[in-house]
Amino acid sequence: MTVKISHTAEIQKFLCEVAGLGNDDGNSRVKSIIHRVLQEIARLIEDLDVSEDEFWCAVDYLNRLGGRGETGLLVAGLGIEHFLDLLQDAKDEQAGLTGGTPRTIEGPLYVAGAPIAEGQARMDDRSEEGVATVMFLEGQVFDPHGRPLAGATVDLWHANTRGTYSFFDQSQSEYNLRRRIITDANGRYCARSIVPSGYGCDPEGPTQECLDLLGRHGQRPAHIHFFISAPGHRHLTTQINLSGDKYLWDDFAYATREGLVGEVVFREDGVREVDGRYAELKFDFQLQAAPDADAEHRSSRPRALQEA
């Protein structure tokens, strides 16, 4: 039987040295992770007989991926971000932390510092009037016992009719389609906005390049992102994908989950004092109790911060 060089004592000793396991400096957690990554890469190269051309092509790809700022997009497209949710679901079930609105991926397009409003807000900057369909988004936030949660923060963001997001799309105004709404005494939030469009990966970008090689598309259905938080309750990262979208259950980022489909109702009755057709979307959220203080806050994942 042919001995795999990646399994030999000599190579294993070398990988330990590279990962810094033989010194007392640095970060032990990082060392352990890097050591495992190096082991897996060595085995992958050998087991799949990766050529030098293939290896350096992959290195070039990673350079281009980072240069385009698409690493977070590829993480979603390869299902890794969804896997993190499934892993946390399994941990929660084992710990008896069940119930509430399901979590799903955050995605790479959040921007901190959106304007705060009490109870209700208008999210759009009116730049797409006459093009976009007005949307009224409203609902309630409940505690684990089904009681309305006053003072909860509903932090939401979504794309415009072209499927692009403010801050990342410099043609949009600051914080367009991004707001933080504090729920009223009945736990209600209400936003006047526009019906968003889904989007696709840049066809010339490295994420779509990878997806093409996998025989996959890079399309997302129309959706709305949410962070929901309240003192004493577990922070919720989620999103609702809009009913009727072609890609509702074929989301390249795997974010659609049971319980997270928003039913959009289109009306043309003048009740909302809107000329012509408009949309209504009602969606409620239920939070879990926070098992500890850290659970009240979102993760420390690096995110964009809008400049003043």
Side-chain angles (χ1 to χ4, degrees):
M1 184 176 69
T2 303
V3 176
K4 297 283 190 179
I5 184 175
S6 59
H7 293 261
T8 63
E10 182 181 5
I11 293 298
Q12 290 301 310
K13 180 181 178 181
F14 171 64
L15 296 180
C16 286
E17 179 184 339
V18 173
L21 297 182
N23 67 66
D24 295 327
D25 298 324
N27 184 291
S28 60
R29 174 66 172 170
V30 172
K31 290 181 180 183
S32 296
I33 293 172
I34 292 298
H35 182 238
R36 177 63 179 270
V37 169
L38 291 173
Q39 287 181 314
E40 296 299 332
I41 290 175
R43 290 168 184 166
L44 183 152
I45 290 172
E46 188 169 37
D47 291 349
L48 297 182
D49 195 21
V50 175
S51 69
E52 285 196 28
D53 284 349
E54 289 174 323
F55 176 81
W56 291 110
C57 181
V59 172
D60 175 69
Y61 176 81
L62 293 176
N63 282 334
R64 292 187 288 110
L65 184 71
R68 287 285 296 267
E70 288 193 11
T71 307
L73 190 63
L74 184 64
V75 164
L78 292 181
I80 300 171
E81 194 171 1
H82 178 58
F83 169 75
L84 294 177
D85 284 337
L86 297 179
L87 181 62
Q88 190 60 55
D89 287 349
K91 290 180 178 179
D92 286 354
E93 185 175 2
Q94 187 175 22
L97 299 172
T98 59
T101 301
R103 63 167 57 84
T104 195
I105 70 169
E106 174 184 333
L109 300 172
Y110 177 74
V111 176
I116 298 176
E118 298 288 338
Q120 56 185 333
R122 179 159 183 169
M123 296 181 62
D124 69 299
D125 62 5
R126 298 174 170 81
S127 62
E128 294 190 288
E129 284 187 344
V131 176
T133 300
V134 174
M135 176 180 68
F136 293 94
L137 172 63
E138 56 193 3
Q140 288 177 277
V141 178
F142 296 97
D143 72 8
H145 306 288
R147 298 172 300 209
L149 261 176
T153 300
V154 178
D155 193 341
L156 65 161
W157 67 102
H158 65 77
N160 63 7
T161 62
R162 301 188 305 277
T164 62
Y165 289 75
S166 61
F167 182 80
F168 302 95
D169 172 10
Q170 294 294 310
S171 70
Q172 295 186 48
S173 64
E174 184 179 67
Y175 290 116
N176 185 40
L177 306 175
R178 301 178 184 273
R179 290 294 184 274
R180 286 176 289 171
I181 303 175
I182 309 301
T183 57
D184 67 15
N186 295 310
R188 295 189 179 278
Y189 71 95
C190 180
R192 173 173 169 159
S193 193
I194 60 173
V195 177
S197 292
Y199 67 83
C201 298
D202 182 346
E204 303 300 321
T207 299
Q208 189 58 57
E209 178 184 336
C210 178
L211 294 174
D212 286 343
L213 293 171
L214 301 178
R216 294 180 48 210
H217 70 75
Q219 300 296 318
R220 293 219 60 203
H223 57 281
I224 303 167
H225 294 270
F226 291 88
F227 285 156
I228 312 291
S229 58
H233 295 80
R234 196 177 191 186
H235 174 87
L236 174 66
T237 298
T238 195
Q239 63 183 266
I240 53 177
N241 286 2
L242 305 192
S243 61
D245 193 289
K246 175 182 178 181
Y247 295 102
L248 176 60
W249 294 104
D250 190 22
D251 180 358
F252 100 95
Y254 303 100
T256 309
R257 307 189 74 177
E258 293 289 349
L260 293 177
V261 176
E263 297 294 333
V264 183
V265 177
F266 291 96
R267 303 187 185 281
E268 195 168 356
D269 52 20
V271 172
R272 296 274 194 172
E273 298 183 353
V274 173
D275 292 334
R277 189 168 180 256
Y278 67 92
E280 290 183 338
L281 175 55
K282 296 184 179 181
F283 203 91
D284 296 335
F285 299 92
Q286 186 173 33
L287 300 183
Q288 296 179 352
D292 52 55
D294 288 343
E296 296 183 31
H297 308 287
R298 59 178 181 249
S299 74
S300 57
R301 165 181 176 168
R303 300 175 176 91
L305 176 62
Q306 182 81 53
E307 295 182 358

